[in-house]
Structure formats: C-alpha cells, structure tokens
Amino acid sequence: MSVLEILKYPHPLLKKRSKPVERIDEEIKRLIHDMMDTMYDAEGIGLAACQVGDPRRVIVIDVSPADPAQSLLVMVNPEIISEEGETDHEEGCLSVPDCLEKVKRRERVRARGLSPDGKAVGVEGEGILAFALQHEIDHLNGVLILDRLSGLKREIYRKKLKKKLMKEKEEQS
Ligand SMILES: [Zn+2]
C-alpha cells in the first residue's frame, strides 16, 4: 500500500472523462487501497482515481470526520440515479488548492455502482455524503469545482494560481 501523488489543477487528466472498470481484479483492489491511503494521508473526505493519475471510474469517500454516522464507501463505476433538492455548499478539493467556494449541489442523491468485490451496491446520501458523491462523480466526468463556479470566480482563481506559480518559479531560479 502506498500514498500516491495527487494531481493538481490544471493537470490535463483532471479534465478527462474516466473510463468504466471492466474487471475487478487484484490490480484494481491495489489501486483502491492506495486511494484510501492517499485520501487519509491528505485528510480529505473523498478521492477519485483520476486525481492519482488513473483514468478509471473508481471513488473512495469517508465523510465520518464530518458525519460520524457514515463510514468508508468505495464505489466502482458509480452513477447517480436520482437527486432531490438544491443547496449551496462550501467545498474544497485536494486537486484545487486554496479554493474554498460555495457550489450549487443537490441535497439528496441516490447512487449505484459496484463494491470492491464486484457486488452491486446502492447508497442514499444526504448532506455531506450527498455532496461528496456528487463531487467525486463530477471528477470521473472531468468536472472540477472550478467548473461549477461563476465565470468571474473562476477567473479570479486562475489569476491567483498563475501569480502563485510564477512566484514559485522565481523562487526556484
Ligand atoms: Zn475534488
């Protein structure tokens, strides 16, 4: 098991649509374990495979720090099958540093997919679990929180990031 590097915006893989997992084998199980290690190491509440450089549809979520009634959830090929309500929720993302913004989300969602043993699983989420499911499944579709912000907010973030990267470059040279 190992902690993997988390790709950061604007890495191109974060904008790609991930592909379905065709077979759950030892290699996928290893990926899932590495994703769990990486998520816990980064103190995140969710992670999609594309964030660690794997273009397949796998997510891990553990919102128990915010909602103790929940526990670890691993889903392969997850999809949202119904959604209800609408709310603004403040979110951050391990791949989009220094960005904590209100994003429009559904209040309740139902999702289905496969467990790490290949069994069909369904989950009903409300609140933080619902937001995490939407956020991670967005990743599998190449969508980042930046894409859910207003054009102006997105521009401000891009400019801030550009400045930060330039400063880092200057400091290195
Ligand atoms: Zn994210």
Side-chain angles (χ1 to χ4, degrees), residues 80 82-89 91 103-110 125-132 134 148:
I80 287 173
S82 70
E83 46 190 25
E84 254 180 75
E86 203 170 72
T87 185
D88 285 324
H89 175 245
E91 284 178 30
V103 179
K104 243 188 199 34
R105 292 290 186 196
R106 297 301 200 151
E107 282 173 311
R108 282 174 297 281
V109 298
R110 282 173 60 206
E126 197 176 344
I128 187 79
L129 178 59
F131 305 141
Q134 292 167 83
R148 298 215 174 263

Side-chain angles (χ1 to χ4, degrees), residues 46 51 92-95 135-136 139 144:
Q51 291 180 277
C93 176
L94 295 172
S95 292
H135 180 112
E136 301 314 329
H139 272 301
L144 293 172

